[in-house]
Amino acid sequence: MNNSELRSKLSKVGEFLRGELSQIRTGRASPALIENIQVDAYGTKMMLIEVGSITVLDPQNLVITPWDKGLIKSITKSIRESQASLNPVEESDRIRIPVPSLTEERRRELAKIVGVKAEECKNSIRNIRQDAMKDIEKMFNDKSIGEDEKFRLKEETEKIVKEFTDGVEEISETKRSEILTV
């Protein structure tokens, strides 16, 4: 595994974490809270973002304007049944979703969830690091690189992994502080 391959794999882990954390509420209305909710539409399951536009009305309200007005009931039902714990309100040709403020207890729970997701991400990074180190050892054992090259590659790998691990820590700390800020 070369450095660009390693960076690519680690970047995907970071992007996954960003996606996961964007779905965690911070007390402010954000389309990311609901855009991936599955909706029954046209005999199949579709993501909410695929059946309408989601806009932020104000810091406490989201508005969904479905492209097909016949889907309003289905969208409302899907949001109510989702794990987002939101209660949508149908308004003629759109759906308004009030986003309640978070309690102190709920904020702490969400901060813990952020920590768990960051730890899962770090585990993935460690697994990728381990694979890279095995590749380096294999190249050394196959005599395609010398001992000096082996140590240089391992050092580079450690440096890249540390850079991405620090990035994960920074992302999770930012999200934690966002959640805990009232």
Side-chain angles (χ1 to χ4, degrees):
M1 182 182 316
N2 62 28
N3 286 347
S4 62
E5 211 178 318
L6 177 64
R7 283 186 184 278
S8 171
K9 286 182 178 185
L10 294 172
S11 292
K12 287 177 186 168
V13 171
E15 288 305 311
F16 178 77
L17 178 66
R18 280 189 189 85
E20 288 287 302
L21 295 183
S22 73
Q23 296 175 7
I24 296 177
R25 289 180 36 188
T26 58
R28 289 187 298 273
S30 165
L33 292 173
I34 59 171
E35 64 188 16
N36 293 324
I37 291 176
Q38 297 286 315
V39 177
D40 287 321
Y42 314 113
T44 185
K45 293 270 191 197
M46 296 178 77
M47 284 194 285
L48 186 54
I49 198 165
E50 297 172 330
V51 296
S53 64
I54 305 168
T55 54
V56 178
L57 189 60
D58 57 55
Q60 299 300 174
N61 288 288
L62 291 171
V63 172
I64 302 168
T65 309
W67 294 305
D68 179 355
K69 306 307 176 210
L71 293 176
I72 288 180
K73 296 264 186 239
S74 180
I75 292 171
T76 302
K77 180 178 182 235
S78 296
I79 292 169
R80 274 199 183 100
E81 293 173 353
S82 75
Q83 294 180 350
S85 302
L86 297 170
N87 193 20
V89 179
E90 293 178 25
E91 298 176 340
S92 66
D93 63 340
R94 67 183 194 168
I95 302 163
R96 185 174 51 82
I97 304 168
V99 179
S101 298
L102 295 173
T103 64
E104 186 63 32
E105 182 181 329
R106 184 68 180 136
R107 287 179 190 278
R108 285 195 185 109
E109 285 174 27
L110 291 174
K112 284 180 186 172
I113 291 170
V114 169
V116 167
K117 293 198 180 290
E119 197 52 47
E120 288 171 0
C121 188
K122 287 180 190 175
N123 284 337
S124 296
I125 289 173
R126 282 191 281 274
N127 290 338
I128 292 169
R129 176 194 164 279
Q130 197 172 23
D131 291 344
M133 292 300 189
K134 283 179 185 173
D135 288 351
I136 293 169
E137 281 298 327
K138 186 179 183 313
M139 290 186 330
F140 177 70
N141 291 336
D142 293 345
K143 307 241 187 288
S144 36
I145 60 171
E147 199 165 342
D148 289 345
E149 182 73 1
K150 175 179 104 170
F151 286 112
R152 187 187 64 73
L153 289 173
K154 281 189 174 188
E155 210 170 277
E156 280 178 16
T157 300
E158 289 293 347
K159 184 177 165 191
I160 293 168
V161 167
K162 180 169 179 13
E163 174 187 323
F164 279 89
T165 304
D166 291 347
V168 164
E169 199 57 46
E170 187 179 316
I171 292 167
S172 66
E173 273 308 310
T174 302
K175 188 65 175 189
R176 265 192 219 109
S177 66
E178 241 178 70
I179 289 170
L180 295 173
T181 303
V182 178

